[in-house]
Each structure stands twice: as structure tokens, then as C-alpha cells.
Amino acid sequence: MQEQLDWTKMLVGEEEWVYLIEVVVRTAIMYIIILLGLRLLGKRGVAQLSVFEMVVIISLGSAAGDPMFYKEVGLMVPIAVFAVIVGAYRLTTFFMAKSKRFDDLVEGKATYLIEDGEFSIDEFGKEALAQDEFFAELRLQSVSHLGQVKTAILETSGNLSVYFYPDKEVRYGLPILPKPYEESFETIPSKGKYACNFCGNVEDLKAQQSCECPKCSHKHWVIAINEIRLR
């Protein structure tokens, strides 16, 4: 004989319906505690948070989850966890304000990815940032080649700050649109300006010439362009 569907067990599990009231109360209390915790952390928006601050907020969220629906976890446990996390955060930020070295240790430093229209290869290599991802970020800011960019800085928050050359000062640079970038040459087809597809260095090259980049020693070149940035 087929068993009947136990709706009560499916909806509230092994607990009684009255436990839902306790869950509501627990959730309301934890919601207030989370708001107080975030208020103590400061007013910066999510987009401005550093990796360190994101870790703190994720820790607060993890501590808040279990007490909302596990009756075995008392509310004093997450309150103690919150107190430790917020206290540690306040202490850490205090030492960060006092010591630049400690601040750099916790949050890292801003990284120059482009300087004077070329990749800062040594700095770029330190970041776990794929070239395609970086190019996409630049294209979203209407950049079509590196010659339009004076400086690009990866901030400690993960945001990309880009400073542009004025239109009159735009130089020849490595194109970052997919099709032009993929058309690279090892043997130069015709005389003109070419950009190294690894570092962005621009050189005047002759036809039928095979050339090693003097800055990074790579041998693949892309036709350089000097279009102004369209806004």
C-alpha cells in the first residue's frame, strides 16, 4: 500500500509548527545584529570594499546563518563571534592607519598595469588578471588601443582606474579589439608602425623584417593604430 505524503514533515521537517515562530524571532534578532555589525564597520559601499573587508563581511554572514534555523545554536554564540570579528576589524584598521607597511601587508598596493601606453610587464605578472579580462575592462571604457591610455591602475579594491591622453597627444598603440589583436605577424608584411603583442611597445619596422622586441624579447607584432577615443 502506497504511503501518504507527509506534508507536515516536508514543510517543517522534524520540528513542530511552533518552531517557525522561534525561527522568525531568531532571524529578526540576527538581522538587527548584522545591521549593527555593518554599521560599526563603516559606510563604504560594496564596490569600494577591499579584499580584507570582504572577508570580514563574509565572516559575519557565516556567523549569522546557523543561529537563524538551528535550535542547537544559541544566540550568544554568534553575538560573541560578531564581537570578536568587529573588534579584530577595528584593531586591524587602527594599526593600518598607524603603519603604512602594515596597511600594505593587509590590503596590498595599487598596481600600475599600463604606463605611457605600454604594459608594465613586471607589475602585470604579479596580478591574477587574465589579459582578455583586462582588455574587456578597457573596452568598456571605450578604449580601442593602448596609445589612448596614459596610465591604468588596479586599485586594492579590484577596481580599474584609467587615465587617458588628451586627443591631441594620443600615440600609436597596441589594438585591443579582438580581430586586430589576433592578426599578429612574426615577419613584417609592410613598412610601418607595429606594436609588440606582449608588452605593447611600438616600433617602426621594415617589410619582410623579423624583429625581436627590445623591451620584452617577444617576436609577434600587431599593426599599431592611433585613433582617438570615441566617447
Side-chain angles (χ1 to χ4, degrees):
M1 187 175 177
Q2 261 187 338
E3 293 184 6
Q4 289 187 345
L5 193 60
D6 189 341
W7 287 97
T8 301
K9 188 173 182 179
M10 184 171 67
L11 294 174
V12 297
E14 300 294 336
E15 305 297 337
E16 300 294 333
W17 282 97
V18 70
Y19 181 62
L20 290 179
I21 299 174
E22 185 178 337
V23 169
V24 171
V25 174
R26 282 170 170 263
T27 302
I29 292 172
M30 291 312 303
Y31 175 75
I32 293 170
I33 293 172
I34 291 171
L35 287 180
L36 291 174
L38 293 177
R39 179 66 183 85
L40 290 171
L41 292 182
K43 296 182 178 179
R44 296 216 287 178
V46 173
Q48 299 172 304
L49 295 178
S50 65
V51 174
F52 161 60
E53 289 165 328
M54 286 295 293
V55 168
V56 172
I57 288 180
I58 290 171
S59 300
L60 291 178
S62 299
D66 289 351
M68 292 182 184
F69 49 86
Y70 288 129
K71 62 165 56 177
E72 297 84 3
V73 181
L75 291 178
M76 288 306 298
V77 174
I79 290 174
V81 172
F82 270 51
V84 171
I85 292 174
V86 172
Y89 173 81
R90 287 291 189 178
L91 186 62
T92 303
T93 53
F94 172 79
F95 285 117
M96 287 167 63
K98 295 293 183 181
S99 169
K100 182 68 169 64
R101 181 176 296 181
F102 186 73
D103 180 60
D104 291 341
L105 179 66
V106 174
E107 291 204 323
K109 296 181 179 180
T111 304
Y112 282 75
L113 299 181
I114 294 177
E115 291 185 89
D116 299 323
E118 298 179 6
F119 287 124
S120 300
I121 300 174
D122 292 339
E123 297 297 316
F124 200 95
K126 296 176 183 177
E127 301 296 331
L129 182 67
Q131 191 180 68
D132 288 345
E133 180 185 355
F134 181 54
F135 283 178
E137 287 279 349
L138 291 176
R139 289 195 293 266
L140 289 173
Q141 300 197 45
S142 302
V143 175
S144 60
H145 65 90
L146 299 190
Q148 298 167 340
V149 180
K150 185 174 184 179
T151 307
I153 302 171
L154 185 64
E155 307 291 356
T156 56
S157 64
N159 293 327
L160 185 67
S161 299
V162 183
Y163 298 89
F164 303 100
Y165 282 111
D167 290 346
K168 293 181 180 180
E169 297 179 23
V170 170
R171 55 183 66 187
Y172 280 90
L174 174 69
I176 62 170
L177 301 179
K179 287 184 178 179
Y181 179 78
E182 290 170 2
E183 295 177 0
S184 64
F185 307 96
E186 197 166 352
T187 300
I188 305 305
S190 59
K191 181 181 178 181
K193 291 186 179 293
Y194 290 81
C196 171
N197 79 336
F198 184 77
C199 71
N201 174 45
V202 176
E203 298 283 343
D204 285 304
L205 301 179
K206 299 177 181 178
Q208 305 305 314
Q209 179 183 6
S210 180
C211 182
E212 184 178 277
C213 176
K215 292 193 174 181
C216 68
S217 301
H218 281 69
K219 297 182 179 181
H220 286 84
W221 300 85
V222 180
I223 297 174
I225 57 176
N226 66 339
E227 302 167 351
I228 63 172
R229 190 170 68 96
L230 300 178
R231 298 168 183 80

